[in-house]
Amino acid sequence: MDRPREESSAVTDLGAALTELAGLMMATPTLNDLLDDLSRLATAVLTPPASCGITLRRGGLPLTAASSDALAARLDEVQYGQGDGPCLQALRTGQVTVVTDLATEVRWGSYPAQALAYGTRSSLSLPLAVNGDALGALNLYAAGRDAFGAEEQQKAEIFAVQASAALTVVARQVEQLQLTDQLREALATRAVIDQALGVVMAEQHCDHDAAFAILRTTSQNQNRKLRDVAAGIVESVAGAVPPPTPFNDPA
């Protein structure tokens, strides 16, 4: 009679986690905040709760971007140190990696023994995809043997899919912000150069193309960026470089 209530509670935990995750996506969090929230929510999806570490690949190297506790971070770092382990396997292959009992595990060199020494007996690592590419792994660690049966794996996989979707949304938002910043910089640079061209044309009594050639030659001779040369000219006349025209992101 108790079993149905346990399953209902497990489903409720997963549903609550997914609901909160959807809310986080709407709140447009920073990437670091989202990763912290994902590691926290992932622990509540399973029964009993597990330690969670999130591995991301940056600059070609794995690192723990967030963890629910120090244990998960230590276990991740052990794998990075020896260049192998379940979380790295999930990251490299894009496949779920299950460890039922580290006491009998023969993969990954000395990692099983080191994980056992930290009090971990089983684990589950799931790939995290951003824009369709496996760029991370959600790593779950438990003290008990065979803690990640079929039901727990299914719940974790559902959560990992939604976590990947959230990461993709936030990553795209970050890219959009970067593009907006680059456009602002480009517009500011163009404005300063146009002002400098006007000064040169007035002083040298030349046309636009001749004025630009003067700026470019000065930039090359002084080994300075064209924008810096232009800013110096404008500042010499106006006393300061005017602030760029405000840019409103059309998005």
mmCIF file of all heavy atoms in Angstrom, residues 155-177:
data_model
loop_
_atom_site.group_PDB
_atom_site.id
_atom_site.type_symbol
_atom_site.label_atom_id
_atom_site.label_comp_id
_atom_site.label_asym_id
_atom_site.label_seq_id
_atom_site.Cartn_x
_atom_site.Cartn_y
_atom_site.Cartn_z
ATOM 1 N N LYS A 155 13.672 9.514 -14.796
ATOM 2 C CA LYS A 155 13.432 10.844 -14.249
ATOM 3 C C LYS A 155 14.626 11.756 -14.504
ATOM 4 O O LYS A 155 14.455 12.922 -14.899
ATOM 5 C CB LYS A 155 13.148 10.753 -12.750
ATOM 6 C CG LYS A 155 11.797 10.150 -12.415
ATOM 7 C CD LYS A 155 11.489 10.268 -10.937
ATOM 8 C CE LYS A 155 12.428 9.398 -10.111
ATOM 9 N NZ LYS A 155 12.114 9.469 -8.664
ATOM 10 N N ALA A 156 15.824 11.225 -14.301
ATOM 11 C CA ALA A 156 17.025 12.032 -14.504
ATOM 12 C C ALA A 156 17.182 12.426 -15.970
ATOM 13 O O ALA A 156 17.596 13.549 -16.284
ATOM 14 C CB ALA A 156 18.260 11.266 -14.026
ATOM 15 N N GLU A 157 16.854 11.511 -16.878
ATOM 16 C CA GLU A 157 16.974 11.806 -18.301
ATOM 17 C C GLU A 157 15.973 12.886 -18.718
ATOM 18 O O GLU A 157 16.302 13.770 -19.513
ATOM 19 C CB GLU A 157 16.777 10.536 -19.123
ATOM 20 C CG GLU A 157 17.952 9.559 -19.021
ATOM 21 C CD GLU A 157 17.710 8.276 -19.799
ATOM 22 O OE1 GLU A 157 16.820 8.267 -20.666
ATOM 23 O OE2 GLU A 157 18.427 7.292 -19.548
ATOM 24 N N ILE A 158 14.760 12.821 -18.190
ATOM 25 C CA ILE A 158 13.770 13.860 -18.490
ATOM 26 C C ILE A 158 14.275 15.218 -18.003
ATOM 27 O O ILE A 158 14.188 16.231 -18.708
ATOM 28 C CB ILE A 158 12.417 13.522 -17.830
ATOM 29 C CG1 ILE A 158 11.798 12.294 -18.505
ATOM 30 C CG2 ILE A 158 11.457 14.712 -17.919
ATOM 31 C CD1 ILE A 158 10.554 11.773 -17.801
ATOM 32 N N PHE A 159 14.812 15.218 -16.789
ATOM 33 C CA PHE A 159 15.330 16.477 -16.240
ATOM 34 C C PHE A 159 16.499 16.984 -17.076
ATOM 35 O O PHE A 159 16.604 18.191 -17.355
ATOM 36 C CB PHE A 159 15.770 16.280 -14.788
ATOM 37 C CG PHE A 159 16.283 17.543 -14.153
ATOM 38 C CD1 PHE A 159 15.398 18.470 -13.619
ATOM 39 C CD2 PHE A 159 17.638 17.810 -14.102
ATOM 40 C CE1 PHE A 159 15.861 19.648 -13.045
ATOM 41 C CE2 PHE A 159 18.114 18.974 -13.532
ATOM 42 C CZ PHE A 159 17.220 19.902 -13.003
ATOM 43 N N ALA A 160 17.402 16.081 -17.499
ATOM 44 C CA ALA A 160 18.572 16.493 -18.278
ATOM 45 C C ALA A 160 18.168 17.095 -19.619
ATOM 46 O O ALA A 160 18.782 18.060 -20.091
ATOM 47 C CB ALA A 160 19.509 15.300 -18.493
ATOM 48 N N VAL A 161 17.137 16.547 -20.240
ATOM 49 C CA VAL A 161 16.649 17.097 -21.516
ATOM 50 C C VAL A 161 16.153 18.527 -21.311
ATOM 51 O O VAL A 161 16.463 19.433 -22.095
ATOM 52 C CB VAL A 161 15.536 16.208 -22.105
ATOM 53 C CG1 VAL A 161 14.836 16.926 -23.255
ATOM 54 C CG2 VAL A 161 16.113 14.884 -22.588
ATOM 55 N N GLN A 162 15.381 18.736 -20.250
ATOM 56 C CA GLN A 162 14.869 20.080 -19.970
ATOM 57 C C GLN A 162 15.992 21.027 -19.557
ATOM 58 O O GLN A 162 15.964 22.220 -19.894
ATOM 59 C CB GLN A 162 13.793 20.014 -18.886
ATOM 60 C CG GLN A 162 12.553 19.250 -19.287
ATOM 61 C CD GLN A 162 11.927 19.791 -20.548
ATOM 62 O OE1 GLN A 162 11.708 20.994 -20.683
ATOM 63 N NE2 GLN A 162 11.622 18.913 -21.496
ATOM 64 N N ALA A 163 16.976 20.497 -18.838
ATOM 65 C CA ALA A 163 18.123 21.319 -18.449
ATOM 66 C C ALA A 163 18.904 21.748 -19.690
ATOM 67 O O ALA A 163 19.365 22.893 -19.786
ATOM 68 C CB ALA A 163 19.036 20.538 -17.503
ATOM 69 N N SER A 164 19.047 20.840 -20.653
ATOM 70 C CA SER A 164 19.726 21.179 -21.899
ATOM 71 C C SER A 164 18.976 22.278 -22.643
ATOM 72 O O SER A 164 19.591 23.207 -23.199
ATOM 73 C CB SER A 164 19.845 19.940 -22.796
ATOM 74 O OG SER A 164 20.718 18.972 -22.229
ATOM 75 N N ALA A 165 17.653 22.189 -22.644
ATOM 76 C CA ALA A 165 16.837 23.216 -23.298
ATOM 77 C C ALA A 165 17.044 24.574 -22.632
ATOM 78 O O ALA A 165 17.171 25.605 -23.298
ATOM 79 C CB ALA A 165 15.367 22.817 -23.272
ATOM 80 N N ALA A 166 17.086 24.568 -21.296
ATOM 81 C CA ALA A 166 17.288 25.824 -20.565
ATOM 82 C C ALA A 166 18.667 26.411 -20.864
ATOM 83 O O ALA A 166 18.812 27.619 -21.066
ATOM 84 C CB ALA A 166 17.132 25.575 -19.063
ATOM 85 N N LEU A 167 19.685 25.556 -20.894
ATOM 86 C CA LEU A 167 21.032 26.029 -21.204
ATOM 87 C C LEU A 167 21.105 26.608 -22.608
ATOM 88 O O LEU A 167 21.787 27.610 -22.847
ATOM 89 C CB LEU A 167 22.036 24.879 -21.060
ATOM 90 C CG LEU A 167 22.380 24.462 -19.632
ATOM 91 C CD1 LEU A 167 23.216 23.187 -19.641
ATOM 92 C CD2 LEU A 167 23.137 25.582 -18.917
ATOM 93 N N THR A 168 20.407 25.974 -23.549
ATOM 94 C CA THR A 168 20.414 26.466 -24.925
ATOM 95 C C THR A 168 19.784 27.857 -24.999
ATOM 96 O O THR A 168 20.304 28.750 -25.673
ATOM 97 C CB THR A 168 19.648 25.491 -25.843
ATOM 98 O OG1 THR A 168 20.320 24.229 -25.848
ATOM 99 C CG2 THR A 168 19.586 26.030 -27.267
ATOM 100 N N VAL A 169 18.656 28.046 -24.295
ATOM 101 C CA VAL A 169 17.986 29.351 -24.297
ATOM 102 C C VAL A 169 18.898 30.425 -23.719
ATOM 103 O O VAL A 169 19.071 31.503 -24.302
ATOM 104 C CB VAL A 169 16.666 29.279 -23.502
ATOM 105 C CG1 VAL A 169 16.104 30.684 -23.264
ATOM 106 C CG2 VAL A 169 15.649 28.429 -24.229
ATOM 107 N N VAL A 170 19.514 30.130 -22.575
ATOM 108 C CA VAL A 170 20.374 31.122 -21.931
ATOM 109 C C VAL A 170 21.619 31.390 -22.775
ATOM 110 O O VAL A 170 22.073 32.537 -22.894
ATOM 111 C CB VAL A 170 20.758 30.663 -20.510
ATOM 112 C CG1 VAL A 170 21.790 31.610 -19.897
ATOM 113 C CG2 VAL A 170 19.519 30.611 -19.631
ATOM 114 N N ALA A 171 22.180 30.335 -23.388
ATOM 115 C CA ALA A 171 23.357 30.513 -24.239
ATOM 116 C C ALA A 171 23.044 31.434 -25.414
ATOM 117 O O ALA A 171 23.849 32.293 -25.788
ATOM 118 C CB ALA A 171 23.846 29.163 -24.745
ATOM 119 N N ARG A 172 21.862 31.283 -25.974
ATOM 120 C CA ARG A 172 21.460 32.152 -27.087
ATOM 121 C C ARG A 172 21.265 33.589 -26.621
ATOM 122 O O ARG A 172 21.592 34.539 -27.341
ATOM 123 C CB ARG A 172 20.176 31.620 -27.725
ATOM 124 C CG ARG A 172 20.394 30.343 -28.527
ATOM 125 C CD ARG A 172 19.096 29.750 -29.035
ATOM 126 N NE ARG A 172 19.339 28.537 -29.816
ATOM 127 C CZ ARG A 172 18.382 27.711 -30.229
ATOM 128 N NH1 ARG A 172 17.113 27.964 -29.925
ATOM 129 N NH2 ARG A 172 18.689 26.633 -30.939
ATOM 130 N N GLN A 173 20.750 33.743 -25.392
ATOM 131 C CA GLN A 173 20.601 35.089 -24.847
ATOM 132 C C GLN A 173 21.967 35.738 -24.650
ATOM 133 O O GLN A 173 22.152 36.932 -24.929
ATOM 134 C CB GLN A 173 19.836 35.036 -23.534
ATOM 135 C CG GLN A 173 18.375 34.656 -23.694
ATOM 136 C CD GLN A 173 17.689 34.356 -22.369
ATOM 137 O OE1 GLN A 173 18.355 34.225 -21.343
ATOM 138 N NE2 GLN A 173 16.377 34.242 -22.387
ATOM 139 N N VAL A 174 22.935 34.959 -24.174
ATOM 140 C CA VAL A 174 24.293 35.471 -23.990
ATOM 141 C C VAL A 174 24.884 35.882 -25.330
ATOM 142 O O VAL A 174 25.512 36.943 -25.460
ATOM 143 C CB VAL A 174 25.184 34.414 -23.308
ATOM 144 C CG1 VAL A 174 26.646 34.844 -23.340
ATOM 145 C CG2 VAL A 174 24.735 34.186 -21.869
ATOM 146 N N GLU A 175 24.682 35.047 -26.361
ATOM 147 C CA GLU A 175 25.180 35.373 -27.691
ATOM 148 C C GLU A 175 24.549 36.653 -28.210
ATOM 149 O O GLU A 175 25.223 37.494 -28.810
ATOM 150 C CB GLU A 175 24.892 34.217 -28.661
ATOM 151 C CG GLU A 175 25.720 32.971 -28.398
ATOM 152 C CD GLU A 175 25.300 31.813 -29.288
ATOM 153 O OE1 GLU A 175 24.341 31.981 -30.080
ATOM 154 O OE2 GLU A 175 25.932 30.749 -29.211
ATOM 155 N N GLN A 176 23.242 36.828 -27.965
ATOM 156 C CA GLN A 176 22.559 38.031 -28.411
ATOM 157 C C GLN A 176 23.108 39.267 -27.718
ATOM 158 O O GLN A 176 23.312 40.312 -28.343
ATOM 159 C CB GLN A 176 21.060 37.909 -28.145
ATOM 160 C CG GLN A 176 20.247 39.112 -28.608
ATOM 161 C CD GLN A 176 20.335 39.344 -30.102
ATOM 162 O OE1 GLN A 176 20.250 38.400 -30.880
ATOM 163 N NE2 GLN A 176 20.530 40.592 -30.512
ATOM 164 N N LEU A 177 23.377 39.141 -26.407
ATOM 165 C CA LEU A 177 23.948 40.267 -25.679
ATOM 166 C C LEU A 177 25.330 40.613 -26.205
ATOM 167 O O LEU A 177 25.695 41.792 -26.327
ATOM 168 C CB LEU A 177 24.017 39.941 -24.185
ATOM 169 C CG LEU A 177 22.684 39.905 -23.440
ATOM 170 C CD1 LEU A 177 22.887 39.413 -22.012
ATOM 171 C CD2 LEU A 177 22.036 41.284 -23.439
#
